[in-house]
Each structure stands twice: as C-alpha cells, then as structure tokens.
Amino acid sequence: MNANAKFLSATAEVDSAAVAPLPNSRKIYVEGSRPDIQVPMREISQSDTSASFGHEKNPPIYVYDTSGVYTDPAAKIDIRSGLPTPRAPWILERDDTEELDGPTSEYGQARLEDPALAELRFNLTRKPRRAKAGANVSQMHYARKGIVTPEMEYVAIRENMRRKEYLAELKASGPLGERMAEMMGRQHPGFNYGANIQAEITPEFVRDEIARGRAIIPANINHPEIEPMIIGRNFLVKINGNIGNSAVTSSISEEVEKMTWAIRWGGDTVMDLSTGKHIHETREWIIRNSPVPIGTVPIYQALEKVNGKAEDLTWEIFRDTLIEQAEQGVDYFTIHAGVLLRYVPMTAKRMTGIVSRGGSIMAKWCLAHHKENFLYTHFEDICQIMKQYDVSFSLGDGLRPGSVYDANDEAQLGELKTLGELTQIAWKHDVQVMIEGPGHVPMQLIKENMDLQLEQCNEAPFYTLGPLTTDIAPGYDHITSGIGAAQIGWYGCAMLCYVTPKEHLGLPNKDDVKEGIITYKIAAHAADLAKGHPGAQIRDNALSKARFEFRWEDQFNLGLDPDKARSFHDETLPKDSAKVAHFCSMCGPHFCSMKITQDVREYAASGMQEKAIEFVKGGSKLYSKA
Amino acid sequence: MNANAKFLSATAEVDSAAVAPLPNSRKIYVEGSRPDIQVPMREISQSDTSASFGHEKNPPIYVYDTSGVYTDPAAKIDIRSGLPTPRAPWILERDDTEELDGPTSEYGQARLEDPALAELRFNLTRKPRRAKAGANVSQMHYARKGIVTPEMEYVAIRENMRRKEYLAELKASGPLGERMAEMMGRQHPGFNYGANIQAEITPEFVRDEIARGRAIIPANINHPEIEPMIIGRNFLVKINGNIGNSAVTSSISEEVEKMTWAIRWGGDTVMDLSTGKHIHETREWIIRNSPVPIGTVPIYQALEKVNGKAEDLTWEIFRDTLIEQAEQGVDYFTIHAGVLLRYVPMTAKRMTGIVSRGGSIMAKWCLAHHKENFLYTHFEDICQIMKQYDVSFSLGDGLRPGSVYDANDEAQLGELKTLGELTQIAWKHDVQVMIEGPGHVPMQLIKENMDLQLEQCNEAPFYTLGPLTTDIAPGYDHITSGIGAAQIGWYGCAMLCYVTPKEHLGLPNKDDVKEGIITYKIAAHAADLAKGHPGAQIRDNALSKARFEFRWEDQFNLGLDPDKARSFHDETLPKDSAKVAHFCSMCGPHFCSMKITQDVREYAASGMQEKAIEFVKGGSKLYSKA
C-alpha cells in the first residue's frame, strides 16, 4: 500500500497535468509600486460574437489565479529545486531576521542527519531564518507600526483584479466598449451583514484590517515562495484544500500532486494533514513547491513522535515540533488550545463525541493527567514562537460537532468563547489569528455560529469546515457542506475549508481534491456575489453573454472547469461543428429558446415593440384584478 | 443517433438496475382507514452496536419511499403491462366520472389508428375517463366540499412516516428503547419563516390545505397508477426530476429507464420534457409505469405539431394537445399563461433574453400576431379542461432569468404578478395550482422571490428550478443550484426542480439523473431540517450514531446512496474486514478521533469527570478575561 518506496528525490517530477495553462488563458503580472511586486492574474481571452448576433469583439476577462508559476509557460518548473522566492528580498530588506546555521529543532536536525532519508529528502540549500532577538516579524506587527509591507500592497492589487483599469480601458475603447463596460460591470447590490466592503482595496486598507485583527496574511518568513494572499471578511472569500497521507495510504509524490492539483483549480491555501510516514519530508516537498500558504496541525506530528500515545505528549515535544515546522515555512498552525478540561465531560453525552483529531488528542491528554490542556497553559510561549517566524494561528475547534445532533451545544460554544479569549492574548503579541469553526450544523443554526464568532472573537477571520447541513449523504458531503459553506461565507466567514466527496469514507484522491475545490470555489463565489463584492459578477456576466451567443468554447473557458464542461458537451455532440452550432443536445437544432429569443429581439428592434405597447395600451388585459 | 429503432413494445423490459431493493431495506405498507389504502415506506434495518461500544440493539429506520413497487420483491414487474392501479377503486366509487369510448382528442385518435406505431405503442386495454357533464373531479373541489378523499388520507399517512408509532414502540420496549427514542427523536427547533408546520399531519389538515390552495395532490383520474403525494409549504419539501428526449438524442426505453432511476433515488414527481420523436408514445410508456405524478409542458408537443413554427400555433391545436395528454394521465401541466405581450419587450435588454422554451415560444407567437398570449386569453377554457381530469396547473415562469444579471428584473416580477392573478381564476374553478419560479438568482435575492411569490400567489405552492446562485460553473450546476434550492426550500418553496451536472451542456443521461436527484434530496432534506419538520432529524441521528460506532454497513445503508458510499470506502479499504474495522483510511488504525472519543467516554464514566470538575473548581484557569 505504501508507495513511498517509489518516491526518490533524484527523479521527482512535476505532475504534467498541473503545468499546462488553462485553455485560452494567459498569465499576466500586474506590477506594484516597485518592480519586484508582480501580482499574477489569469487573463481569459474570448472569441468574437458571431455575425448573426452582431459581430462584437469580446474583451478578455481577468480572474484570480492561485496556480502559481505552474501555469506560466515562461517559467521553468523543477520540483527538485522548488519554486522561485518572490518574497525573499522583502524579508531580507526588513533586516529584522537572521539566517540560522540550520534547523534549531532537535527533530529537524535529526532528520537532516539521518542518512536513510537522503534519497527522499528535498535538497534545500537555503538555511532557515528567524527573527533577530527581541524582534517581531509578523505582518500584524508591521501593520500596527503603520508599515505597509510589500505583502500588503501585493494582496491589495490581487484583490482588485484590475477591475477599475479593465472597465476604464473598455470605456475608452469606443461606443461598443462603453456598452460592454456597462454590461460587464453591472452587478446586483449585495447584502453583507455588516461587512465593510470597499469599492477598491488600497494597501492602507489592508494594513488597517490586519492591524485591527480582522484579516491575516499567512506568510512565514521561511516560505518566501508564496504569492501573498489575504483572509478576512472584507476581502474575497477564500477556500482551503486539505491534503496529506495517513498511515494506511498515499506517498510524498501523491501529496505534492494533490497540492499542485488543488491550486490549479483554485485552492487559496492548502493544509498538509499528513499523519503517516515521513511527515517531515513530505511537508518539505510541499512547502518548497507551494505558492500558496501551507497550514498544518502540529499535534498530529507530535503524536507520531510519541508513537500515537496521547498521554505521552509533552510541551517540550510539541514545542520542538512547532519550531521544526516554523523553520520549514509552515504559514499557519491549527492549535487546539481551546479544548479545556472542563469542556471535555460536556462531550460525553454527545451523539458523536469529539470528532476533531486534534481535539480528541488533547481531551485524552487532559483526562489522563487531570491537567489543563498544555496548549492553553503554554499559549503565551506558543505566541513567542509564532512571532519569530510569522506563523499565524488557526485556533482549532477541537470540540466542533460531528453531527447535526451535536450542533451548537455547550461544549462547542464554550470552546468558541475560550478561542475569543486566546485571540486577545495572541493579539497582545501581534500574532495573526483566525478561528476555526464547524462542522455539522443544520441551516437554521449556521448564522448563530457566525454571529457568536464575530462577537466573541472580535471579528478575527472565521475559517469553517463546511458546515455540513445534513448527515444523510455519505459520498456527497462536498454538497451537504457546500450548501452550508455558501451561507456562512455570505454571513461573514473569511475562508471555507473544503470537504470532498470522500469525507467520512476514505482518503481523497486527486479527483476528489478537484471536486472539493470546485464545489468550494462555487460556494465562495456565490458568497462574494451575495455580499456584493465589487466586480464579482463580471465573470458571471461574461459567461452568460457567451452562453447566450452560443460561444461554446468561451462558455467552457470562462467556467471554473473548462475540461469538464467541454467533455460533458462532447458526450452528446462530439463534433467540432457543434462547438459553433447555435443549439445544444438538450433541445436540438429546431427548438432552442436562446435562438428564439434572438428572433424576439429582432422583432422587438424592428418596431414591433411600439405596436405591442400600443396594443397593451389599447386594453389587451383580459381579466380584471382579483 | 436515434435509438428508437431498437425499442419494440413486444420486447420492452424493465431496467434491472431499478428493481432490486436497496440494501438492508424492506418495503412495508401502512394501512389506512380502509384496506385499500396501503402507504409504502422503506424500512432500513440496522446491525447491533458492537460489544466494545456497549452492544446495543439498533432499531430500524423508516424513510419516505418514492420508488413504487419496483423495489418490492413481492411485486411482479412487467413494463409492458404497466403498474397496478391502487387509485382505480377510489376514482370509480366517487361516481363522478365516465369511461370514454377512446381518446377524444384528434391527435390521440390518429396515433392510436396509425399502424406504423403498433410496434412501439404501449398496449393499454383500459379506456380513458373524464368527469361526467358538469362535474369537477379535482382534489381541490372535493376538499372545498369538505370531503376527505382516500388520496388525502394516503398523503397524511405518508408524510407522518410512522414517526409517532415508531417512537412509541421504541419507548415501550424497555429502558434501552426509551433512551433510543429520546436520542432518535431529538431535534433542533426549526425556523420556518411563517410556515404552519404540524406535529402530526391529519387527513383533515391535508383537506384544509388543499381547500385553501396552499397544497396540491397532483392526481389525474387517468393516472390511477400513482401513489399519491402532496406538494405544499407545510409538508415535506419535494423534488422533481426532468427527463425527456430531444430531436438530437435518446429513445423511449432510455426515458422509461430514467424515470425508474429517478424515483429509485427519491424523485417525488417526474417531468417528461420530450421534444423529439414519438412524444405521445414515449409519454404513454412513462405514465403507465410511473407511481409518481408526471408533469409535462404541452406547448412543446403542440409546437412539434406545427413543425416548430411558433407563429403557426393555434388555440385549437393546443386545446387538442391538452385533452390528448389529460386523457393519457398527465398529472400537471406547465402552462406559460403569464408571458404577456407587454412583458416581452422588457426582455430585449436582458443579458440572456428569454431562456424558458415555453416562454420563448409564446413570446414569439405574441409578437408575430401582435396579439395577447392565447394561453392567457383562453385561461378559463383551460381551467374547464383541467377540472374534468384533475390536472393541476404548474403556472410556468416563461420569463425566468437565465443569468444572475437578469435576476428579479421587471419582466420576471411582472409575470409573477400575473401568475398570482391567474391563480385566483384557477381557484375559482377549484383547479389545483402551483407556481414555477427561477432560475438564476444570486443568494441575496432568493428570499425576495419567495416572499413575493407567497404574497402575490396567496401561498399557492412554489416550484422552483434551483435557483442557480452563480453562472460560472458549467458542469457543476447541480451544485450552484443545490445551494439556492436548499435556501428557497427553507424559505417556503414546496418543490425543487432538479438541475443536473449537464445543465447548459447536454441532455442528462442516467448518471446525471441520479446525481441531480441525490443533490436535490440533500437540498430538500436540509430545508426540512431547517424548517424543523417533525422527525426530519431521525435519519441524521441514526446515521450519525452508526458512523460514531463504526457500523460501516449501517452508515452506507442509511445514506441517500448506499452504493456510492460503499464504493468510496472500498476504493481505499476494499477488504470485508475493513467494514467492521474501528478506523478508516482517512486517519488510519492508530489515529482515529472517534476511537479516542470512546476512550474519553470511558475515562469520563470512570469517575475522572468528578476529578476534572474539582480541578477546574480549584482554579485551572490560567488567563484572566480580557
């Protein structure tokens, strides 16, 4: 079962499926205030409207691009060398970090020196960095000092997605462009439940939101490879994809492939939840090749170090694990510091007890020792480590409900309150924080989760798993949870952790990763539209126009998954000629409502409209009102 | 492409995939006040809890069953003879209908006499029926006269799903049963937006809701094969699956297979939207073999009769089509009578014009003749036909938005108002009515749709397509729309029309039908939970208990799709032994949170809880509140 034997660093290759640009897409870079701020976006070009629909030139569309240089044909990809390091100069020039001689964690040193691992070790020539003595290198710290970092400017440009320039260029291009700008830019007013949505994101707004704790940029100084992104309720809703092996299955190469696959389809961050063999080495390969922030749950690895015996865990082992991972470049840590001893007995009467792995480990530890959770008692020590590398907290919801039955119970809400208290402590250290949330919650209880979180955690970004709105559909939990994710995203959740179709049943493979990512991109985008995020509707508008004008290729290419759209269309009408046909297999050639509507437009335009209005004025109404 | 040549009535067979009972499931029948009221339910049996979890006997669970006798091993299935006719005696004993000599529509007669159709014609030996002169045979008419029909009693029993008896039996079975009844019956309070949810549905309540127009039982007197069901906001949320061929693809046998497949997975009604060859014969095969109500859009067939030229349609051709289909047994007709001439020009400035097929046909007709929609001008004539057979109206939203851009515009909302006026007219004739709704609507505008519909259509049941909450995911529109469907179901929508993954791309095949049905069962059930529908949570509770206790087979079998759940589990852990293992491939054998929680429970039960509480009382809190 274990495929690790096949993985050798000397022959490691990138997944070829992850490197081709998406169809009709070109990676562009928008330059910031300095030449080394180069913010990637994906430009999707469109074909012209056909003559029968008025022969219009359709402008390209710009979309948020999480795929990194993998989809840039100009980039040389070699996963054995890892990605370029756009953040390196920014980190260096701040002059508040120092290069270490090597890993300072005992475990990191041991792994580096173990000759048996040589054949699968990533060959990192760079040394880890750490804050200089007494320094705090978190983005929150800079923000509170009033400094706009290149990372902050980067995410501001990224969030805006060239919207203003795009519409201005269109308008300036003539009467057609003006009409096109009006059409593409039109959007329904949102309802944002008290979010502070900006017409345009400025670097200063980013700084302010981070200083306030309402947003985070997960960006470890040892992960210079990332393209910075921001998580906060006043920004685009983000999604996370979980990968990671278990003791039962999967290998390093599979996990790296899942990462590149997840970001190709839109994953904003990736969590490596490995619990099997070679956790340390797997993580190194993932981080060195990941342009998105990587999160982990360090307690998983700590538990492996004590051979799975929760009661044998110690603060020292955990601390060494934090440092080990921080020096590799993990951007955020899930820490289950809110699982307090007094909450544990509250879970005994639950339908499904404690379903969080981290939560159950800590619960077991607490009870075994009759002591308070050491993650709680050492929370300030953890903060000290976090700020030396700028690792963000993802305060874990170890007591999240594992069933609709257990939703919003006292254990869950008690822990949430504690997470709010811990947030204040982390903020005292200028450490960035987000808060994890449930889980399994029926629709009518979702908003209570969001409202309590905003209130008790002072608007620190919420990061929820789903929530799953029913338990009765194993095999479809990407859908049971996508329904809840769209809603909580609308209510103010900043990042949605995906659930794949395999949830509760098995370890997701690449197909499941893609299905989960696309489902969550849908949920996040639906939430952006509902909140009225400026420009969110441009892509919907462009795709709808393409659909209406039978520009099949454009319809496929503007969608979240051009490959699947094309293959579905091909199933019934495989010929190339069908791609320019003004009909599809649902209605056939003589019976297309879109086609008939075109006729209606021509009628309407030809003066019939006047006559129709006259007719109505003349008393076409047949029945009087009830 | 056309597979019709292969279909011959002499050799027609049932789809073998549709007839096996679902795993561990048994069809039971609950008898009503008379022996010929036999209401089907599915009983799912469960295994015992294993010794390590306390060795409990788990009671069977009862679920709503739409699959008809196909899943009853005691039934003899021969699609050439059609289904049994449980409603026949009820219709006869009312003594308000008469048997006709044969079809009274010209088209129906012509098809019957065409020798070329003999080989694919369903051999119906029964003659059609019609109301006696002056009689009204609608369920609404009976309801308003104070009559509780067997159909009404049937749906009351069906909606209750033995919940009261189930919990009472459990309670009476001893202390374990008492605890089990408490666990299974526990449910979060719902939030129902003003619905009138009953603790128990009585036949009288059903009658009252139908009399009031707030619910319908679609039940044509020529469809005695159906197992009655009810659609209304105060009942379980229902789902519809669309099938039907087009001129490009599909055959009679494929469409019958899609019907049996759709009801196997939970379709409450099925619409036959065929527009291709042999519409009349295809429909006959579907109706004769369908235990669920069948809906159609008669204008599709009328258009075929005039060779696709909308302007050639006449009231006479349409009227003949209504009678043809009513005498076959169609239970509800989508009628686009709200597409008024004055609304048509409002669509010219839309992004996607008119996307309803029926709507665009009528719009074209209106403009071509400068006349008001003949479905509107002849609406009372249509009512006269409907009440002679008890065909229900599904008032079509011919101007529904085809893109987020067009959502909630004046054309759509104007038509909705007209549908409200038409509802009053239909009700004057005691004809049952539901109202069709959109379409493409971003989340923040969904509730407005529901609220306006309730207000303007006086709570006539709403029946919506989705709505799709974004346009950017062709290939995943079951998900973009499932998100909207769950929400509008919660807000008060009575029936959700599914959208399959092929939407906008091609004609759905059997796999797509199943994916659409399961997605919509999820949406409908999530809505039932959110509304607080009594007993809705029993299945969630049972499945969660099975999940927690590692009863893998029970977890699969209690879910909406046992086959997929099992196959997903098998992908990573194919061995039979893994089905009884206390772990899964996500975490592996040594790292399962559920397992650890069991340990926590044992700790908690062993008196540690007391000590933990003492510890906390003694001041375990480390940080003072901020």
Side-chain angles (χ1 to χ4, degrees):
Chain A
M1 206 81 187
N2 191 323
N4 280 345
K6 285 180 275 175
F7 181 83
L8 293 171
S9 67
T11 55
E13 281 184 355
V14 70
D15 175 18
S16 61
V19 291
L22 286 155
N24 275 28
S25 292
R26 186 169 75 96
K27 192 177 286 277
I28 64 152
Y29 294 92
V30 176
E31 192 168 302
S33 64
R34 38 190 277 181
D36 66 352
I37 296 180
Q38 295 286 339
V39 183
M41 289 170 204
R42 177 156 69 95
E43 180 191 272
I44 309 172
S45 61
Q46 300 193 75
S47 57
D48 294 349
T49 302
S50 70
S52 59
F53 286 86
H55 197 13
E56 291 174 345
K57 221 172 173 49
N58 293 294
I61 295 294
Y62 298 90
V63 299
Y64 197 100
D65 186 358
T66 58
S67 64
V69 292
Y70 293 101
T71 53
D72 183 350
K76 200 175 134 273
I77 308 287
D78 177 359
I79 64 166
R80 292 172 306 172
S81 327
L83 294 179
T85 55
R87 286 183 66 224
W90 311 338
I91 295 162
L92 280 181
E93 72 189 21
R94 287 194 277 258
D95 198 27
D96 51 4
T97 59
E98 60 191 5
E99 190 178 85
L100 301 168
D101 293 336
T104 68
S105 68
E106 281 178 33
Y107 192 83
Q109 288 165 5
R111 297 302 277 192
L112 195 58
E113 285 156 17
D114 186 342
L117 298 171
E119 61 172 23
L120 50 78
R121 190 182 294 127
F122 181 89
N123 180 29
L124 179 64
T125 50
R126 193 173 69 227
K127 304 261 194 242
R129 303 189 74 83
R130 189 176 61 196
K132 286 181 179 170
N136 183 333
V137 299
S138 82
Q139 293 288 323
M140 186 181 217
H141 186 68
Y142 304 136
R144 287 178 164 185
K145 290 205 296 188
I147 299 167
V148 174
T149 63
E151 286 89 343
M152 297 173 199
E153 184 187 340
Y154 190 104
V155 300
I157 295 168
R158 198 170 192 182
E159 293 282 317
N160 288 326
M161 277 205 281
R162 290 200 79 241
R163 186 180 59 260
K164 208 177 79 177
E165 296 78 358
Y166 173 71
L167 294 175
E169 283 162 18
L170 265 181
K171 265 186 203 156
S173 72
L176 169 65
E178 236 171 273
R179 193 165 64 78
M180 208 66 93
E182 203 281 318
M183 266 182 115
M184 291 299 117
R186 205 182 120 185
Q187 182 162 330
H188 296 284
F191 184 84
N192 65 33
Y193 292 99
N196 181 17
I197 308 287
Q198 302 290 297
E200 198 184 350
I201 306 284
T202 61
E204 172 56 25
F205 180 74
V206 171
R207 188 205 60 71
D208 193 60
E209 289 288 293
I210 293 172
R212 165 73 180 75
R214 199 150 51 194
I216 69 170
I217 296 180
N220 185 321
I221 54 168
N222 288 309
H223 194 186
E225 295 89 351
I226 57 168
E227 299 174 344
M229 53 77 70
I230 191 161
I231 301 167
R233 70 183 292 211
N234 297 322
F235 301 91
L236 290 162
V237 176
K238 304 301 188 297
I239 66 169
N240 172 69
N242 291 335
I243 61 170
N245 64 3
S246 76
V248 179
T249 181
S250 189
S251 72
I252 292 180
S253 57
E254 281 177 77
E255 297 312 316
V256 174
E257 284 193 7
K258 284 183 200 167
M259 182 274 291
T260 54
W261 199 232
I263 62 173
R264 178 178 180 81
W265 300 110
D268 291 292
T269 77
V270 165
M271 288 195 80
D272 172 17
L273 303 183
S274 293
T275 58
K277 274 190 196 160
H278 305 308
I279 297 184
H280 180 90
E281 290 69 29
T282 302
R283 185 188 312 122
E284 188 76 33
W285 279 95
I286 290 170
I287 295 173
R288 297 289 74 81
N289 287 289
S290 172
V292 305
I294 298 295
T296 63
V297 188
I299 202 79
Y300 294 175
Q301 191 186 4
L303 188 73
E304 293 291 320
K305 292 177 183 175
V306 294
N307 302 311
K309 292 203 167 172
E311 51 275 36
D312 291 353
L313 282 166
T314 63
W315 160 242
E316 289 68 30
I317 288 167
F318 187 75
R319 182 181 173 280
D320 195 66
T321 305
L322 291 184
I323 294 170
E324 170 205 345
Q325 297 197 11
E327 291 182 355
Q328 285 188 298
V330 173
D331 301 287
Y332 61 90
F333 286 153
T334 294
I335 308 265
H336 297 94
V339 180
L340 300 192
L341 188 55
R342 68 175 179 274
Y343 300 145
V344 175
M346 293 176 185
T347 66
K349 59 183 178 227
R350 280 182 160 184
M351 178 68 85
T352 48
I354 302 178
V355 294
S356 151
R357 285 193 278 183
S360 56
I361 294 163
M362 293 320 301
K364 187 164 184 181
W365 187 93
C366 289
L367 291 186
H369 296 278
H370 315 310
K371 275 190 184 164
E372 192 49 282
N373 181 341
F374 65 79
L375 303 174
Y376 181 78
T377 57
H378 284 279
F379 194 73
E380 302 227 30
D381 299 324
I382 297 172
C383 292
Q384 294 294 350
I385 297 169
M386 305 297 260
K387 65 188 177 189
Q388 289 182 297
Y389 303 94
D390 196 9
V391 183
S392 299
F393 274 113
S394 184
L395 290 177
D397 55 337
L399 303 178
R400 69 169 178 267
S403 55
V404 162
Y405 187 97
D406 293 338
N408 295 25
D409 73 353
E410 59 173 344
Q412 183 202 333
L413 300 182
E415 182 188 30
L416 179 62
K417 208 164 162 227
T418 299
L419 298 185
E421 293 165 17
L422 295 171
T423 300
Q424 295 298 332
I425 294 163
W427 284 353
K428 202 179 70 186
H429 291 269
D430 295 351
V431 174
Q432 304 189 93
V433 179
M434 58 183 172
I435 309 290
E436 295 187 9
H440 294 240
V441 184
M443 286 194 288
Q444 82 275 28
L445 301 185
I446 292 176
K447 190 146 185 305
E448 182 185 27
N449 274 276
M450 190 68 234
D451 292 345
L452 286 174
Q453 191 274 342
L454 288 172
E455 178 195 321
Q456 298 186 349
C457 302
N458 221 324
E459 295 187 83
F462 206 20
Y463 167 32
T464 61
L465 180 72
L468 288 74
T469 54
T470 165
D471 305 333
I472 68 167
Y476 299 84
D477 278 328
H478 58 310
I479 298 176
T480 65
S481 69
I483 290 169
Q487 284 177 36
I488 205 161
W490 177 19
Y491 301 153
C493 186
M495 184 155 78
L496 310 170
C497 182
Y498 85 3
V499 172
T500 77
K502 287 275 171 62
E503 184 76 13
H504 301 118
L505 299 169
L507 197 72
N509 61 24
K510 260 177 73 177
D511 290 342
D512 302 314
V513 166
K514 181 175 171 183
E515 192 77 13
I517 291 283
I518 301 275
T519 302
Y520 272 67
K521 282 300 279 185
I522 290 169
H525 184 71
D528 288 335
L529 285 176
K531 288 165 76 178
H533 203 95
Q537 206 181 303
I538 292 177
R539 192 175 185 174
D540 295 79
N541 293 344
L543 194 142
S544 295
K545 185 170 190 285
R547 181 173 279 158
F548 185 68
E549 294 173 351
F550 296 103
R551 286 183 280 118
W552 289 101
E553 291 288 348
D554 290 345
Q555 188 192 157
F556 306 153
N557 297 340
L558 289 165
L560 291 178
D561 184 356
D563 300 348
K564 180 174 267 191
R566 183 172 291 102
S567 77
F568 275 1
H569 183 265
D570 284 356
E571 259 183 52
T572 33
L573 290 174
K575 293 195 196 110
D576 272 352
S577 63
K579 302 287 191 310
V580 292
H582 284 187
F583 63 87
C584 75
S585 67
M586 290 189 74
C587 307
H590 301 302
F591 207 96
C592 177
S593 64
M594 293 262 187
K595 190 163 177 303
I596 292 176
T597 304
Q598 276 300 322
D599 299 340
V600 169
R601 273 193 195 176
E602 282 157 30
Y603 273 104
S606 69
M608 296 293 193
Q609 186 173 351
E610 301 303 310
K611 289 185 187 166
I613 290 166
E614 278 166 33
F615 170 75
V616 173
K617 279 188 185 157
S620 70
K621 201 137 180 287
L622 196 72
Y623 304 107
S624 57
K625 265 197 195 177
Chain B
M1 205 82 187
N2 192 323
N4 279 345
K6 284 181 276 175
F7 182 83
L8 294 171
S9 67
T11 56
E13 280 183 356
V14 70
D15 176 18
S16 61
V19 291
L22 286 155
N24 275 27
S25 293
R26 186 171 74 97
K27 192 177 287 277
I28 63 152
Y29 294 92
V30 176
E31 191 169 301
S33 64
R34 40 191 277 181
D36 66 353
I37 295 181
Q38 295 287 339
V39 183
M41 289 171 204
R42 178 155 69 96
E43 181 191 271
I44 309 171
S45 61
Q46 299 193 74
S47 57
D48 294 348
T49 301
S50 71
S52 59
F53 286 86
H55 198 11
E56 292 174 346
K57 223 175 169 47
N58 293 293
I61 295 294
Y62 298 91
V63 300
Y64 197 101
D65 186 358
T66 58
S67 64
V69 292
Y70 293 101
T71 53
D72 183 351
K76 200 176 135 275
I77 308 287
D78 177 358
I79 63 166
R80 291 172 305 170
S81 327
L83 294 179
T85 55
R87 287 183 66 224
W90 311 338
I91 295 163
L92 279 182
E93 73 189 20
R94 286 194 279 259
D95 196 28
D96 52 3
T97 59
E98 60 190 6
E99 190 178 84
L100 301 169
D101 294 337
T104 68
S105 68
E106 280 179 34
Y107 192 84
Q109 287 165 5
R111 297 302 279 194
L112 195 58
E113 285 156 16
D114 186 344
L117 298 171
E119 63 171 21
L120 49 78
R121 189 183 294 127
F122 181 89
N123 180 28
L124 179 63
T125 51
R126 194 171 68 228
K127 304 260 193 243
R129 303 189 74 83
R130 189 176 61 196
K132 287 181 179 169
N136 183 332
V137 298
S138 82
Q139 293 289 323
M140 188 180 214
H141 186 67
Y142 303 136
R144 286 179 164 183
K145 289 205 295 187
I147 299 168
V148 173
T149 62
E151 286 89 342
M152 296 173 199
E153 183 187 342
Y154 190 105
V155 301
I157 295 168
R158 198 170 193 184
E159 292 283 316
N160 287 327
M161 276 204 283
R162 289 198 80 243
R163 186 181 61 259
K164 208 177 78 176
E165 296 78 359
Y166 173 70
L167 295 175
E169 283 161 18
L170 266 181
K171 263 186 206 157
S173 72
L176 170 65
E178 235 172 274
R179 194 166 64 79
M180 208 65 94
E182 204 282 317
M183 266 182 114
M184 291 300 115
R186 204 182 122 186
Q187 182 162 330
H188 297 285
F191 184 85
N192 65 32
Y193 291 100
N196 181 19
I197 307 286
Q198 301 291 297
E200 196 184 351
I201 305 285
T202 61
E204 172 56 24
F205 180 75
V206 171
R207 188 204 60 72
D208 193 59
E209 289 287 292
I210 292 172
R212 165 73 179 74
R214 198 150 51 194
I216 68 171
I217 296 181
N220 186 321
I221 54 167
N222 288 310
H223 195 185
E225 295 90 351
I226 58 168
E227 298 174 346
M229 52 77 71
I230 191 161
I231 302 168
R233 70 184 291 210
N234 297 323
F235 300 91
L236 290 163
V237 176
K238 304 302 188 296
I239 66 167
N240 172 70
N242 291 334
I243 60 170
N245 65 3
S246 76
V248 178
T249 181
S250 190
S251 72
I252 291 180
S253 58
E254 280 177 78
E255 296 312 316
V256 174
E257 284 194 8
K258 283 184 201 167
M259 182 275 289
T260 54
W261 200 232
I263 63 174
R264 179 178 180 81
W265 300 110
D268 292 292
T269 76
V270 165
M271 288 194 80
D272 172 16
L273 303 183
S274 292
T275 57
K277 274 189 195 160
H278 305 307
I279 297 183
H280 179 90
E281 289 69 30
T282 302
R283 185 189 311 121
E284 188 75 32
W285 279 95
I286 291 171
I287 295 173
R288 297 288 73 82
N289 286 289
S290 172
V292 305
I294 297 295
T296 63
V297 188
I299 202 78
Y300 294 175
Q301 191 186 4
L303 188 74
E304 293 290 321
K305 293 177 183 176
V306 294
N307 302 311
K309 291 203 167 169
E311 52 274 38
D312 291 352
L313 283 167
T314 63
W315 160 243
E316 289 69 29
I317 288 167
F318 187 75
R319 182 180 174 282
D320 195 66
T321 306
L322 291 184
I323 294 170
E324 169 204 345
Q325 297 197 10
E327 291 182 356
Q328 284 187 300
V330 173
D331 301 286
Y332 62 89
F333 286 153
T334 294
I335 307 266
H336 296 94
V339 180
L340 301 191
L341 188 55
R342 67 175 180 274
Y343 299 145
V344 176
M346 293 175 184
T347 66
K349 59 183 178 229
R350 280 182 159 184
M351 178 68 85
T352 47
I354 301 177
V355 293
S356 151
R357 285 193 278 185
S360 55
I361 294 163
M362 293 320 301
K364 188 164 183 180
W365 187 92
C366 289
L367 291 186
H369 296 278
H370 316 309
K371 274 190 183 164
E372 192 51 281
N373 181 341
F374 66 78
L375 302 174
Y376 183 77
T377 57
H378 284 278
F379 194 73
E380 301 227 31
D381 299 324
I382 298 172
C383 291
Q384 293 293 351
I385 298 168
M386 306 296 260
K387 65 187 176 189
Q388 289 182 297
Y389 303 93
D390 197 10
V391 183
S392 300
F393 274 113
S394 184
L395 291 177
D397 56 335
L399 303 178
R400 69 168 178 267
S403 55
V404 162
Y405 187 97
D406 293 338
N408 295 24
D409 72 352
E410 59 173 342
Q412 184 203 332
L413 299 182
E415 182 188 31
L416 179 62
K417 207 164 162 226
T418 299
L419 298 185
E421 293 165 16
L422 294 171
T423 300
Q424 295 298 334
I425 294 164
W427 284 353
K428 202 179 70 186
H429 291 269
D430 295 351
V431 173
Q432 304 189 94
V433 178
M434 59 182 171
I435 309 289
E436 295 186 10
H440 294 240
V441 184
M443 287 194 287
Q444 81 275 27
L445 301 185
I446 292 177
K447 189 143 187 305
E448 182 186 25
N449 274 276
M450 190 68 234
D451 292 346
L452 286 174
Q453 191 275 340
L454 289 172
E455 179 196 321
Q456 297 186 347
C457 303
N458 221 323
E459 294 188 82
F462 206 20
Y463 168 33
T464 61
L465 180 74
L468 288 74
T469 54
T470 165
D471 304 333
I472 69 168
Y476 299 83
D477 278 328
H478 59 310
I479 298 175
T480 64
S481 68
I483 289 169
Q487 285 178 34
I488 204 160
W490 178 18
Y491 301 152
C493 185
M495 185 156 77
L496 310 171
C497 181
Y498 85 4
V499 171
T500 77
K502 287 274 171 62
E503 184 76 13
H504 300 117
L505 299 169
L507 198 71
N509 60 25
K510 260 176 72 177
D511 289 343
D512 301 315
V513 166
K514 181 176 172 184
E515 192 78 12
I517 290 283
I518 301 276
T519 302
Y520 273 67
K521 282 301 280 185
I522 291 169
H525 184 72
D528 287 335
L529 285 175
K531 288 166 76 178
H533 202 95
Q537 205 181 303
I538 293 177
R539 191 174 186 177
D540 295 78
N541 293 346
L543 194 142
S544 296
K545 185 170 190 286
R547 181 174 279 158
F548 186 67
E549 294 172 352
F550 297 103
R551 287 184 278 117
W552 288 101
E553 291 287 350
D554 291 345
Q555 188 192 157
F556 306 154
N557 296 339
L558 290 164
L560 292 179
D561 183 357
D563 301 347
K564 181 175 266 190
R566 184 173 290 102
S567 77
F568 275 0
H569 183 265
D570 284 356
E571 259 182 51
T572 34
L573 290 175
K575 292 194 197 111
D576 272 352
S577 63
K579 303 287 191 308
V580 293
H582 284 185
F583 62 87
C584 74
S585 66
M586 288 190 75
C587 307
H590 301 301
F591 207 96
C592 178
S593 64
M594 295 260 187
K595 190 163 176 302
I596 292 176
T597 303
Q598 276 300 321
D599 299 341
V600 168
R601 272 193 195 177
E602 282 157 29
Y603 273 103
S606 70
M608 295 293 193
Q609 187 174 348
E610 302 303 311
K611 289 185 187 167
I613 290 165
E614 277 165 35
F615 170 76
V616 173
K617 280 189 183 155
S620 71
K621 201 138 183 285
L622 196 73
Y623 304 107
S624 57
K625 266 198 196 176

